[in-house]
Amino acid sequence: LYFSAQEGILIFYHIKDLQYEIKICADISQPISSLIFSPDYTSLLLVTDQGTVYSYRPAHSGEAVKLLDTSSSCFLAADFLTPGNNYCVSVTISGEVQVWSLEDGTFLSKLNLGTEVQVT
């Protein structure tokens, strides 16, 4: 079970039978608004409400890597663009949908919906 604390800490609970173990996986020092697993569960996107997206690979047990920072564009949400784990899509309040490379955070494309967006 992965969850995030208000301070921006990614925590893993390993639960087996009636026993559990707690492990701190990453500290990104920004409140995490959502955690999204890739379709094959090899990567985890950590999304902050400030518009920063980090990638964490549970099998590698390394630090979270900052992929992109969209803080200047009223960021709302991000998710994996399937199939695969190579791209993510983000959306801004103004209705701009953006596609990013998860490999290096490169901005690839955008589409303006022409309307404000809200996440429900």
Side-chain angles (χ1 to χ4, degrees):
L1 171 66
Y2 284 92
F3 76 95
S4 64
Q6 207 47 1
E7 303 82 27
I9 299 171
L10 177 65
I11 299 171
F12 173 68
Y13 270 91
H14 181 254
I15 302 168
K16 185 173 182 179
D17 299 323
L18 298 175
Q19 303 291 323
Y20 68 92
E21 179 184 336
I22 301 172
K23 177 184 174 189
I24 295 176
C25 300
D27 182 356
I28 61 171
S29 303
Q30 293 180 25
I32 299 169
S33 59
S34 59
L35 303 171
I36 304 120
F37 263 107
S38 63
D40 64 1
Y41 297 99
T42 60
S43 296
L44 184 63
L45 288 183
L46 313 173
V47 182
T48 72
D49 53 7
Q50 284 91 21
T52 310
V53 178
Y54 294 83
S55 174
Y56 178 77
R57 294 183 176 264
H60 296 100
S61 299
E63 282 295 311
V65 176
K66 184 190 277 189
L67 294 176
L68 56 112
D69 189 347
T70 61
S71 57
S72 62
S73 59
C74 300
F75 175 82
L76 276 180
D79 201 348
F80 285 91
L81 188 59
T82 56
N85 301 329
N86 299 325
Y87 306 100
C88 81
V89 62
S90 64
V91 65
T92 65
I93 291 172
S94 64
E96 186 172 274
V97 178
Q98 304 161 331
V99 178
W100 305 87
S101 167
L102 288 174
E103 201 165 296
D104 59 6
T106 302
F107 172 76
L108 300 172
S109 181
K110 70 179 176 180
L111 170 68
N112 194 327
L113 301 175
T115 187
E116 285 194 8
V117 177
Q118 53 183 312
V119 176
T120 56

